[in-house]
Amino acid sequence: MSVLVRSGVGPLCAVARAGKCQSPGIPVAVETREAPSSVGVSRGLRARGLTSTLKGYYVHRDMLGEKGDFITSPEISQIFGELLGIWFISEWMATGKSTAFQLVELGPGRGTLVGDILRVFSQLGSVLKNCDISVHLVEVSQKLSEVQALTLTEEKVPLERNAESPVYMKGVTKSGIPVSWYRDLHDVPKGHSFYLAHEFFDVLPVHKFQKTPQGWREVFIDIDPQVSDKLRFVLAPCATPAEVFIQHDETRDHIEVCPDAGVIIEELSRRIALTGGAALVADYGHDGTKTDTFRGFCGHKLHDVLIAPGTADLTADVDFSFLRRMAQGKVASLGPITQHTFLKNMGIDVRLKVLLDKSNEQSVKQQLLQGYDMLMNPKKMGERFNFFALLPHQRLQGGRDQMNARQSKPFASPVAGFSELAWQ
């Protein structure tokens, strides 16, 4: 059986198995290549099934686009990435136009999104001319990193490769910006950085819990005793260590928690508080209201998560209330707000009109309109996707670099996307 767990949670499972609670299975958090016992629900399936170096879904294939299992917003319309590029420049300007600008993307897909962002940077080169820009991509998939390199560099300058180094690949983009690849966010240099996580957090493993008359019980995955090659869901017979992540005032009867997301948010928060910058998160999600969202996709269709682990994309909606809680006290947060609202505030209608007016081909106009509808329609991606941001506290309170010429006190300029975009 090829079921996986992410590193970092194995000890939780080990404690559960070694302690008084002898589970019939393994929590979603345990690594098991030939596990005779159960696994904690999504963590087990997703970590082994998605990022295993042996058969991991994300590690050995390009799952994006029409031929893959799902299509992301950057693959739908160039406008999406262009508006995000404007967002980063807007925030860079609002926080004093630092001389260094690290653009860091977590899980860059095929590189389409960061490519669209860099095109905006080139078009606004006069604004960024005194800024030292570099790109840093956090990617565990060798397959996707090669696709990203081709998208961003066209290999006009030979890539430097060193599999043993934390920076396992280096290159130069088509516009002359240095780009580096890492497997872990901790290896990215600390500095004034703007972080992007688009459809990143929804693929991290989660622990699932069900409320029972005996209290919270973690949902495990076990081998069906009646059919040896079939998996099934079971409840842990007693409390498990992962229960520590459940809030005392939780009112839902079924929840999903993602410790890995909390660790990453804490790291981003520390970095932003220390060196400035911002983080923008865009993903499927909710604000602490949904229950069972764990699902699989294969060939653009829903797929049973218990069938053929490692052959489908497994995902769970992001709980933004959890992300906000993990950032609390370190940095300020905004959102979540719907993708429809964010893109509307960023001026998507104006940009669409410009592109339609420039185009003479009916097929291109049709493609632009279809892409707009997919991004904005509430019944499609418009309300399913949400935006969330992490910012230094002083960004919202006003700082030395945000002085109004007519005022002696600093003021905080609105954050684009979360309010209407306004160039200073």
Side-chain angles (χ1 to χ4, degrees):
M1 181 173 71
S2 181
V3 186
L4 166 79
V5 186
R6 304 266 311 190
S7 60
V9 279
L12 285 176
C13 302
V15 171
R17 293 197 302 274
K20 296 181 179 179
C21 179
Q22 295 297 325
S23 162
I26 304 173
V28 209
V30 169
E31 176 166 358
T32 148
R33 213 179 281 171
E34 301 171 357
S37 49
S38 346
V39 233
V41 169
S42 138
R43 208 175 227 331
L45 282 178
R46 293 171 82 185
R48 173 68 63 192
L50 298 183
T51 58
S52 167
T53 54
L54 294 177
K55 296 184 179 180
Y57 174 81
Y58 288 124
V59 175
H60 298 290
R61 69 184 75 197
D62 176 4
M63 73 300 295
L64 301 170
E66 293 183 5
K67 295 181 179 179
D69 294 322
F70 57 93
I71 298 176
T72 63
S73 297
E75 311 293 330
I76 292 170
S77 174
Q78 69 180 69
I79 302 177
F80 184 85
E82 291 172 348
L83 296 181
L84 266 56
I86 294 295
W87 190 88
F88 286 115
I89 293 177
S90 172
E91 276 308 293
W92 171 76
M93 294 173 69
T95 52
K97 301 182 181 180
S98 65
T99 56
F101 186 127
Q102 289 191 167
L103 177 62
V104 183
E105 184 174 7
L106 310 181
R110 304 175 79 173
T112 305
L113 180 53
V114 71
D116 289 340
I117 290 171
L118 292 179
R119 186 173 65 253
V120 171
F121 286 7
S122 294
Q123 292 168 347
L124 295 176
S126 59
V127 177
L128 296 164
K129 62 183 178 182
N130 296 320
C131 187
D132 182 18
I133 301 174
S134 58
V135 176
H136 306 264
L137 305 178
V138 180
E139 179 58 74
V140 298
S141 167
Q142 186 62 41
K143 172 72 174 178
L144 282 179
S145 66
E146 295 294 340
V147 174
Q148 294 154 14
L150 189 60
T151 300
L152 298 174
T153 72
E154 292 184 346
E155 300 201 8
K156 291 183 178 179
V157 177
L159 293 165
E160 297 178 31
R161 291 179 170 85
N162 184 350
E164 304 304 316
S165 171
V167 189
Y168 67 86
M169 197 159 66
K170 291 182 179 180
V172 178
T173 70
K174 290 175 277 191
S175 55
I177 295 174
V179 54
S180 303
W181 280 262
Y182 313 78
R183 296 182 186 87
D184 195 304
L185 172 61
H186 288 85
D187 295 323
V188 176
K190 291 181 173 65
H192 195 80
S193 303
F194 291 87
Y195 301 91
L196 174 61
H198 175 259
E199 288 199 54
F200 171 77
F201 285 99
D202 73 291
V203 303
L204 297 179
V206 297
H207 287 267
K208 292 174 68 65
F209 292 91
Q210 179 71 47
K211 186 176 286 184
T212 73
Q214 292 74 41
W216 288 102
R217 292 294 180 263
E218 189 167 359
V219 181
F220 282 17
I221 293 168
D222 194 13
I223 297 173
D224 191 326
Q226 306 301 321
V227 186
S228 62
D229 61 348
K230 185 179 179 181
L231 300 175
R232 63 171 184 167
F233 291 119
V234 296
L235 289 180
C238 61
T240 55
E243 192 177 315
V244 69
F245 298 109
I246 302 175
Q247 290 290 98
H248 296 300
D249 57 353
E250 180 58 62
T251 58
R252 290 170 288 174
D253 58 9
H254 189 116
I255 63 169
E256 298 161 337
V257 293
C258 181
D260 286 9
V263 170
I264 292 169
I265 287 294
E266 285 189 324
E267 174 66 13
L268 292 175
S269 300
R270 277 192 296 269
R271 286 169 171 251
I272 292 169
L274 180 67
T275 60
L280 186 64
V281 177
D283 225 317
Y284 288 102
H286 58 91
D287 202 12
T289 56
K290 291 187 178 181
T291 55
D292 183 11
T293 70
F294 181 45
R295 59 202 182 278
F297 287 96
C298 185
H300 302 279
K301 296 179 180 179
L302 283 170
H303 174 86
D304 188 330
V305 297
L306 297 181
I307 295 177
T311 64
D313 174 50
L314 303 181
T315 181
D317 284 8
V318 177
D319 184 345
F320 287 103
S321 69
F322 176 67
L323 302 192
R324 183 167 55 247
R325 195 162 68 244
M326 298 308 292
Q328 203 163 13
K330 306 176 190 72
V331 293
S333 64
L334 290 177
I337 62 170
T338 66
Q339 177 167 290
H340 178 278
T341 300
F342 181 89
L343 296 180
K344 196 84 166 177
N345 286 339
M346 289 301 301
I348 189 172
D349 293 327
V350 174
R351 181 56 178 158
L352 175 66
K353 185 177 186 306
V354 168
L355 292 175
L356 289 173
D357 290 344
K358 281 185 176 180
S359 176
N360 296 318
E361 296 184 26
Q362 192 59 38
S363 60
V364 173
K365 290 185 177 183
Q366 188 66 24
Q367 186 178 20
L368 287 168
L369 290 169
Q370 288 176 346
Y372 175 90
D373 180 63
M374 180 62 75
L375 294 175
M376 298 293 285
N377 191 324
K379 295 181 179 179
K380 296 178 181 178
M381 301 176 82
E383 290 189 356
R384 292 215 62 196
F385 274 82
N386 290 271
F387 278 78
F388 177 83
L390 301 177
L391 305 153
H393 284 297
Q394 59 267 32
R395 169 67 181 91
L396 301 185
Q397 297 165 355
R400 294 177 184 176
D401 298 316
Q402 297 164 278
M403 296 292 290
N404 187 314
R406 298 181 181 179
Q407 295 176 324
S408 58
K409 294 183 179 180
F411 73 97
S413 57
V415 177
F418 298 87
S419 56
E420 288 190 22
L421 175 66
W423 289 100
Q424 295 183 28

